[in-house]
PDB file of all heavy atoms in Angstrom:
ATOM      1  N   ARG F   1       0.655  -2.353  -0.846  1.00  0.00           N
ATOM      2  CA  ARG F   1       0.561  -3.806  -1.107  1.00  0.00           C
ATOM      3  C   ARG F   1       1.962  -4.374  -1.272  1.00  0.00           C
ATOM      4  O   ARG F   1       2.765  -3.858  -2.046  1.00  0.00           O
ATOM      5  CB  ARG F   1      -0.275  -4.109  -2.340  1.00  0.00           C
ATOM      6  CG  ARG F   1      -1.713  -3.709  -2.238  1.00  0.00           C
ATOM      7  CD  ARG F   1      -2.559  -4.304  -3.374  1.00  0.00           C
ATOM      8  NE  ARG F   1      -2.165  -3.790  -4.673  1.00  0.00           N
ATOM      9  CZ  ARG F   1      -2.699  -2.710  -5.238  1.00  0.00           C
ATOM     10  NH1 ARG F   1      -3.655  -2.002  -4.589  1.00  0.00           N
ATOM     11  NH2 ARG F   1      -2.325  -2.300  -6.453  1.00  0.00           N
ATOM     12  N   PHE F   2       2.242  -5.471  -0.545  1.00  0.00           N
ATOM     13  CA  PHE F   2       3.550  -6.115  -0.602  1.00  0.00           C
ATOM     14  C   PHE F   2       3.346  -7.617  -0.766  1.00  0.00           C
ATOM     15  O   PHE F   2       2.656  -8.256   0.012  1.00  0.00           O
ATOM     16  CB  PHE F   2       4.339  -5.822   0.690  1.00  0.00           C
ATOM     17  CG  PHE F   2       4.600  -4.368   0.922  1.00  0.00           C
ATOM     18  CD1 PHE F   2       3.718  -3.620   1.659  1.00  0.00           C
ATOM     19  CD2 PHE F   2       5.707  -3.740   0.378  1.00  0.00           C
ATOM     20  CE1 PHE F   2       3.920  -2.260   1.881  1.00  0.00           C
ATOM     21  CE2 PHE F   2       5.935  -2.384   0.593  1.00  0.00           C
ATOM     22  CZ  PHE F   2       5.041  -1.654   1.324  1.00  0.00           C
ATOM     23  N   THR F   3       3.971  -8.170  -1.817  1.00  0.00           N
ATOM     24  CA  THR F   3       3.860  -9.575  -2.077  1.00  0.00           C
ATOM     25  C   THR F   3       5.021  -9.997  -2.985  1.00  0.00           C
ATOM     26  O   THR F   3       5.526  -9.197  -3.741  1.00  0.00           O
ATOM     27  CB  THR F   3       2.514  -9.903  -2.774  1.00  0.00           C
ATOM     28  OG1 THR F   3       2.461 -11.318  -3.042  1.00  0.00           O
ATOM     29  CG2 THR F   3       2.322  -9.127  -4.042  1.00  0.00           C
ATOM     30  N   GLU F   4       5.442 -11.262  -2.887  1.00  0.00           N
ATOM     31  CA  GLU F   4       6.466 -11.787  -3.784  1.00  0.00           C
ATOM     32  C   GLU F   4       5.886 -12.193  -5.121  1.00  0.00           C
ATOM     33  O   GLU F   4       6.613 -12.308  -6.114  1.00  0.00           O
ATOM     34  CB  GLU F   4       7.178 -12.968  -3.142  1.00  0.00           C
ATOM     35  CG  GLU F   4       8.149 -12.633  -2.044  1.00  0.00           C
ATOM     36  CD  GLU F   4       8.910 -13.849  -1.568  1.00  0.00           C
ATOM     37  OE1 GLU F   4       9.936 -14.165  -2.191  1.00  0.00           O
ATOM     38  OE2 GLU F   4       8.466 -14.476  -0.608  1.00  0.00           O
ATOM     39  N   GLY F   5       4.592 -12.464  -5.186  1.00  0.00           N
ATOM     40  CA  GLY F   5       3.962 -12.857  -6.436  1.00  0.00           C
ATOM     41  C   GLY F   5       4.011 -11.722  -7.437  1.00  0.00           C
ATOM     42  O   GLY F   5       3.614 -10.576  -7.099  1.00  0.00           O
ATOM     43  N   HIS F   6       4.454 -11.980  -8.651  1.00  0.00           N
ATOM     44  CA  HIS F   6       4.736 -10.871  -9.569  1.00  0.00           C
ATOM     45  C   HIS F   6       4.667 -11.331 -11.028  1.00  0.00           C
ATOM     46  O   HIS F   6       5.148 -12.408 -11.343  1.00  0.00           O
ATOM     47  CB  HIS F   6       6.113 -10.292  -9.288  1.00  0.00           C
ATOM     48  CG  HIS F   6       6.537  -9.200 -10.203  1.00  0.00           C
ATOM     49  ND1 HIS F   6       6.149  -7.892 -10.021  1.00  0.00           N
ATOM     50  CD2 HIS F   6       7.317  -9.188 -11.299  1.00  0.00           C
ATOM     51  CE1 HIS F   6       6.677  -7.140 -10.974  1.00  0.00           C
ATOM     52  NE2 HIS F   6       7.391  -7.907 -11.770  1.00  0.00           N
ATOM     53  N   PHE F   7       4.029 -10.521 -11.854  1.00  0.00           N
ATOM     54  CA  PHE F   7       4.079 -10.721 -13.314  1.00  0.00           C
ATOM     55  C   PHE F   7       4.422  -9.395 -13.984  1.00  0.00           C
ATOM     56  O   PHE F   7       3.890  -8.354 -13.594  1.00  0.00           O
ATOM     57  CB  PHE F   7       2.727 -11.182 -13.854  1.00  0.00           C
ATOM     58  CG  PHE F   7       2.431 -12.631 -13.702  1.00  0.00           C
ATOM     59  CD1 PHE F   7       1.504 -13.071 -12.801  1.00  0.00           C
ATOM     60  CD2 PHE F   7       3.073 -13.566 -14.514  1.00  0.00           C
ATOM     61  CE1 PHE F   7       1.194 -14.422 -12.675  1.00  0.00           C
ATOM     62  CE2 PHE F   7       2.793 -14.925 -14.395  1.00  0.00           C
ATOM     63  CZ  PHE F   7       1.859 -15.350 -13.487  1.00  0.00           C
ATOM     64  N   ASP F   8       5.284  -9.427 -14.987  1.00  0.00           N
ATOM     65  CA  ASP F   8       5.441  -8.309 -15.929  1.00  0.00           C
ATOM     66  C   ASP F   8       4.911  -8.816 -17.275  1.00  0.00           C
ATOM     67  O   ASP F   8       5.313  -9.874 -17.760  1.00  0.00           O
ATOM     68  CB  ASP F   8       6.954  -7.925 -16.112  1.00  0.00           C
ATOM     69  CG  ASP F   8       7.380  -6.882 -15.089  1.00  0.00           C
ATOM     70  OD1 ASP F   8       6.548  -6.019 -14.764  1.00  0.00           O
ATOM     71  OD2 ASP F   8       8.538  -6.934 -14.654  1.00  0.00           O
ATOM     72  N   LEU F   9       4.009  -8.018 -17.879  1.00  0.00           N
ATOM     73  CA  LEU F   9       3.201  -8.509 -19.009  1.00  0.00           C
ATOM     74  C   LEU F   9       3.165  -7.472 -20.124  1.00  0.00           C
ATOM     75  O   LEU F   9       2.273  -6.662 -20.235  1.00  0.00           O
ATOM     76  CB  LEU F   9       1.780  -8.832 -18.524  1.00  0.00           C
ATOM     77  CG  LEU F   9       1.737  -9.823 -17.344  1.00  0.00           C
ATOM     78  CD1 LEU F   9       0.429  -9.732 -16.612  1.00  0.00           C
ATOM     79  CD2 LEU F   9       1.972 -11.255 -17.864  1.00  0.00           C
ATOM     80  N   PRO F  10       4.186  -7.494 -21.007  1.00  0.00           N
ATOM     81  CA  PRO F  10       4.190  -6.550 -22.158  1.00  0.00           C
ATOM     82  C   PRO F  10       3.287  -7.032 -23.276  1.00  0.00           C
ATOM     83  O   PRO F  10       3.314  -8.216 -23.633  1.00  0.00           O
ATOM     84  CB  PRO F  10       5.670  -6.513 -22.562  1.00  0.00           C
ATOM     85  CG  PRO F  10       6.210  -7.818 -22.115  1.00  0.00           C
ATOM     86  CD  PRO F  10       5.435  -8.261 -20.926  1.00  0.00           C
ATOM     87  N   MET F  11       2.561  -6.084 -23.872  1.00  0.00           N
ATOM     88  CA  MET F  11       1.584  -6.422 -24.918  1.00  0.00           C
ATOM     89  C   MET F  11       1.859  -5.625 -26.161  1.00  0.00           C
ATOM     90  O   MET F  11       2.313  -4.475 -26.103  1.00  0.00           O
ATOM     91  CB  MET F  11       0.167  -6.116 -24.396  1.00  0.00           C
ATOM     92  CG  MET F  11      -0.248  -6.993 -23.224  1.00  0.00           C
ATOM     93  SD  MET F  11      -1.802  -6.441 -22.443  1.00  0.00           S
ATOM     94  CE  MET F  11      -2.930  -6.551 -23.820  1.00  0.00           C
ATOM     95  N   ARG F  12       1.533  -6.221 -27.311  1.00  0.00           N
ATOM     96  CA  ARG F  12       1.674  -5.550 -28.611  1.00  0.00           C
ATOM     97  C   ARG F  12       0.355  -4.931 -29.032  1.00  0.00           C
ATOM     98  O   ARG F  12      -0.714  -5.244 -28.499  1.00  0.00           O
ATOM     99  CB  ARG F  12       2.085  -6.570 -29.659  1.00  0.00           C
ATOM    100  CG  ARG F  12       3.419  -7.231 -29.396  1.00  0.00           C
ATOM    101  CD  ARG F  12       3.823  -8.099 -30.590  1.00  0.00           C
ATOM    102  NE  ARG F  12       2.825  -9.153 -30.868  1.00  0.00           N
ATOM    103  CZ  ARG F  12       2.699  -9.768 -32.028  1.00  0.00           C
ATOM    104  NH1 ARG F  12       3.465  -9.432 -33.051  1.00  0.00           N
ATOM    105  NH2 ARG F  12       1.781 -10.715 -32.160  1.00  0.00           N
ATOM    106  N   ASN F  13       0.433  -4.038 -30.000  1.00  0.00           N
ATOM    107  CA  ASN F  13      -0.734  -3.550 -30.755  1.00  0.00           C
ATOM    108  C   ASN F  13      -1.778  -2.837 -29.910  1.00  0.00           C
ATOM    109  O   ASN F  13      -2.976  -2.795 -30.291  1.00  0.00           O
ATOM    110  CB  ASN F  13      -1.415  -4.721 -31.500  1.00  0.00           C
ATOM    111  CG  ASN F  13      -0.434  -5.476 -32.394  1.00  0.00           C
ATOM    112  OD1 ASN F  13       0.415  -4.855 -33.019  1.00  0.00           O
ATOM    113  ND2 ASN F  13      -0.522  -6.786 -32.415  1.00  0.00           N
ATOM    114  N   CYS F  14      -1.372  -2.256 -28.804  1.00  0.00           N
ATOM    115  CA  CYS F  14      -2.293  -1.521 -27.940  1.00  0.00           C
ATOM    116  C   CYS F  14      -2.212  -0.026 -28.252  1.00  0.00           C
ATOM    117  O   CYS F  14      -1.186   0.494 -28.711  1.00  0.00           O
ATOM    118  CB  CYS F  14      -1.988  -1.749 -26.469  1.00  0.00           C
ATOM    119  SG  CYS F  14      -2.344  -3.405 -25.870  1.00  0.00           S
ATOM    120  N   THR F  15      -3.329   0.660 -27.994  1.00  0.00           N
ATOM    121  CA  THR F  15      -3.377   2.144 -28.079  1.00  0.00           C
ATOM    122  C   THR F  15      -3.486   2.708 -26.684  1.00  0.00           C
ATOM    123  O   THR F  15      -4.347   2.278 -25.899  1.00  0.00           O
ATOM    124  CB  THR F  15      -4.565   2.589 -28.956  1.00  0.00           C
ATOM    125  OG1 THR F  15      -4.340   2.117 -30.283  1.00  0.00           O
ATOM    126  CG2 THR F  15      -4.689   4.090 -28.948  1.00  0.00           C
ATOM    127  N   ILE F  16      -2.582   3.643 -26.363  1.00  0.00           N
ATOM    128  CA  ILE F  16      -2.556   4.252 -25.051  1.00  0.00           C
ATOM    129  C   ILE F  16      -2.839   5.716 -25.188  1.00  0.00           C
ATOM    130  O   ILE F  16      -2.140   6.429 -25.957  1.00  0.00           O
ATOM    131  CB  ILE F  16      -1.176   4.038 -24.379  1.00  0.00           C
ATOM    132  CG1 ILE F  16      -0.823   2.562 -24.299  1.00  0.00           C
ATOM    133  CG2 ILE F  16      -1.164   4.662 -22.989  1.00  0.00           C
ATOM    134  CD1 ILE F  16       0.604   2.284 -23.838  1.00  0.00           C
ATOM    135  N   ALA F  17      -3.846   6.231 -24.502  1.00  0.00           N
ATOM    136  CA  ALA F  17      -4.182   7.651 -24.515  1.00  0.00           C
ATOM    137  C   ALA F  17      -4.063   8.236 -23.114  1.00  0.00           C
ATOM    138  O   ALA F  17      -4.472   7.584 -22.121  1.00  0.00           O
ATOM    139  CB  ALA F  17      -5.599   7.841 -25.040  1.00  0.00           C
ATOM    140  N   LEU F  18      -3.510   9.415 -23.012  1.00  0.00           N
ATOM    141  CA  LEU F  18      -3.421  10.154 -21.746  1.00  0.00           C
ATOM    142  C   LEU F  18      -4.328  11.372 -21.857  1.00  0.00           C
ATOM    143  O   LEU F  18      -4.077  12.248 -22.690  1.00  0.00           O
ATOM    144  CB  LEU F  18      -1.971  10.593 -21.477  1.00  0.00           C
ATOM    145  CG  LEU F  18      -0.928   9.463 -21.377  1.00  0.00           C
ATOM    146  CD1 LEU F  18       0.450  10.063 -21.134  1.00  0.00           C
ATOM    147  CD2 LEU F  18      -1.291   8.491 -20.243  1.00  0.00           C
ATOM    148  N   ASP F  19      -5.372  11.391 -21.057  1.00  0.00           N
ATOM    149  CA  ASP F  19      -6.374  12.485 -21.114  1.00  0.00           C
ATOM    150  C   ASP F  19      -6.833  12.710 -22.553  1.00  0.00           C
ATOM    151  O   ASP F  19      -6.997  13.849 -23.005  1.00  0.00           O
ATOM    152  CB  ASP F  19      -5.814  13.764 -20.531  1.00  0.00           C
ATOM    153  CG  ASP F  19      -5.550  13.649 -19.039  1.00  0.00           C
ATOM    154  OD1 ASP F  19      -6.136  12.795 -18.409  1.00  0.00           O
ATOM    155  OD2 ASP F  19      -4.765  14.479 -18.526  1.00  0.00           O
ATOM    156  N   GLY F  20      -7.004  11.629 -23.296  1.00  0.00           N
ATOM    157  CA  GLY F  20      -7.516  11.675 -24.672  1.00  0.00           C
ATOM    158  C   GLY F  20      -6.481  11.833 -25.748  1.00  0.00           C
ATOM    159  O   GLY F  20      -6.760  11.664 -26.925  1.00  0.00           O
ATOM    160  N   LYS F  21      -5.224  12.159 -25.347  1.00  0.00           N
ATOM    161  CA  LYS F  21      -4.156  12.298 -26.341  1.00  0.00           C
ATOM    162  C   LYS F  21      -3.442  10.960 -26.525  1.00  0.00           C
ATOM    163  O   LYS F  21      -2.927  10.398 -25.554  1.00  0.00           O
ATOM    164  CB  LYS F  21      -3.153  13.372 -25.915  1.00  0.00           C
ATOM    165  CG  LYS F  21      -2.019  13.540 -26.881  1.00  0.00           C
ATOM    166  CD  LYS F  21      -1.006  14.591 -26.419  1.00  0.00           C
ATOM    167  CE  LYS F  21       0.160  14.723 -27.389  1.00  0.00           C
ATOM    168  NZ  LYS F  21       1.138  15.753 -26.948  1.00  0.00           N
ATOM    169  N   ILE F  22      -3.380  10.483 -27.755  1.00  0.00           N
ATOM    170  CA  ILE F  22      -2.779   9.190 -28.044  1.00  0.00           C
ATOM    171  C   ILE F  22      -1.268   9.325 -28.032  1.00  0.00           C
ATOM    172  O   ILE F  22      -0.722  10.139 -28.787  1.00  0.00           O
ATOM    173  CB  ILE F  22      -3.285   8.628 -29.364  1.00  0.00           C
ATOM    174  CG1 ILE F  22      -4.776   8.311 -29.280  1.00  0.00           C
ATOM    175  CG2 ILE F  22      -2.509   7.372 -29.777  1.00  0.00           C
ATOM    176  CD1 ILE F  22      -5.405   7.857 -30.585  1.00  0.00           C
ATOM    177  N   VAL F  23      -0.607   8.524 -27.183  1.00  0.00           N
ATOM    178  CA  VAL F  23       0.857   8.519 -27.134  1.00  0.00           C
ATOM    179  C   VAL F  23       1.431   7.249 -27.763  1.00  0.00           C
ATOM    180  O   VAL F  23       2.588   7.238 -28.191  1.00  0.00           O
ATOM    181  CB  VAL F  23       1.357   8.684 -25.695  1.00  0.00           C
ATOM    182  CG1 VAL F  23       0.971  10.066 -25.155  1.00  0.00           C
ATOM    183  CG2 VAL F  23       0.811   7.596 -24.777  1.00  0.00           C
ATOM    184  N   VAL F  24       0.635   6.192 -27.775  1.00  0.00           N
ATOM    185  CA  VAL F  24       1.018   4.954 -28.475  1.00  0.00           C
ATOM    186  C   VAL F  24      -0.235   4.510 -29.288  1.00  0.00           C
ATOM    187  O   VAL F  24      -1.298   4.364 -28.701  1.00  0.00           O
ATOM    188  CB  VAL F  24       1.438   3.826 -27.509  1.00  0.00           C
ATOM    189  CG1 VAL F  24       1.721   2.528 -28.254  1.00  0.00           C
ATOM    190  CG2 VAL F  24       2.632   4.248 -26.661  1.00  0.00           C
ATOM    191  N   LYS F  25      -0.053   4.337 -30.580  1.00  0.00           N
ATOM    192  CA  LYS F  25      -1.183   3.932 -31.417  1.00  0.00           C
ATOM    193  C   LYS F  25      -0.905   2.565 -32.030  1.00  0.00           C
ATOM    194  O   LYS F  25       0.053   2.376 -32.799  1.00  0.00           O
ATOM    195  CB  LYS F  25      -1.390   4.939 -32.531  1.00  0.00           C
ATOM    196  CG  LYS F  25      -2.604   4.628 -33.430  1.00  0.00           C
ATOM    197  CD  LYS F  25      -2.858   5.718 -34.461  1.00  0.00           C
ATOM    198  CE  LYS F  25      -4.087   5.405 -35.321  1.00  0.00           C
ATOM    199  NZ  LYS F  25      -4.303   6.462 -36.320  1.00  0.00           N
ATOM    200  N   GLU F  26      -1.716   1.595 -31.628  1.00  0.00           N
ATOM    201  CA  GLU F  26      -1.588   0.222 -32.145  1.00  0.00           C
ATOM    202  C   GLU F  26      -0.161  -0.269 -32.060  1.00  0.00           C
ATOM    203  O   GLU F  26       0.381  -0.866 -33.000  1.00  0.00           O
ATOM    204  CB  GLU F  26      -2.150   0.141 -33.553  1.00  0.00           C
ATOM    205  CG  GLU F  26      -3.645   0.462 -33.636  1.00  0.00           C
ATOM    206  CD  GLU F  26      -4.202   0.461 -35.041  1.00  0.00           C
ATOM    207  OE1 GLU F  26      -3.411   0.252 -35.975  1.00  0.00           O
ATOM    208  OE2 GLU F  26      -5.403   0.664 -35.191  1.00  0.00           O
ATOM    209  N   GLY F  27       0.474   0.031 -30.934  1.00  0.00           N
ATOM    210  CA  GLY F  27       1.838  -0.475 -30.695  1.00  0.00           C
ATOM    211  C   GLY F  27       2.959   0.385 -31.241  1.00  0.00           C
ATOM    212  O   GLY F  27       4.108  -0.053 -31.205  1.00  0.00           O
TER     213      GLY F  27
END
């Protein structure tokens, strides 16, 4: 996919898990 339309969207207070392992907890 190629387009000039673009957003970068950083968010706070999120939890990120990789295969069930939490690497970021509530930010």
Side-chain angles (χ1 to χ4, degrees):
R1 295 192 296 269
F2 300 91
T3 178
E4 285 186 86
H6 178 82
F7 279 108
D8 271 325
L9 303 160
M11 296 170 59
R12 299 186 300 158
N13 305 321
C14 291
T15 295
I16 304 172
L18 301 178
D19 293 340
K21 179 182 179 179
I22 294 175
V23 295
V24 177
K25 183 176 181 180
E26 297 177 357

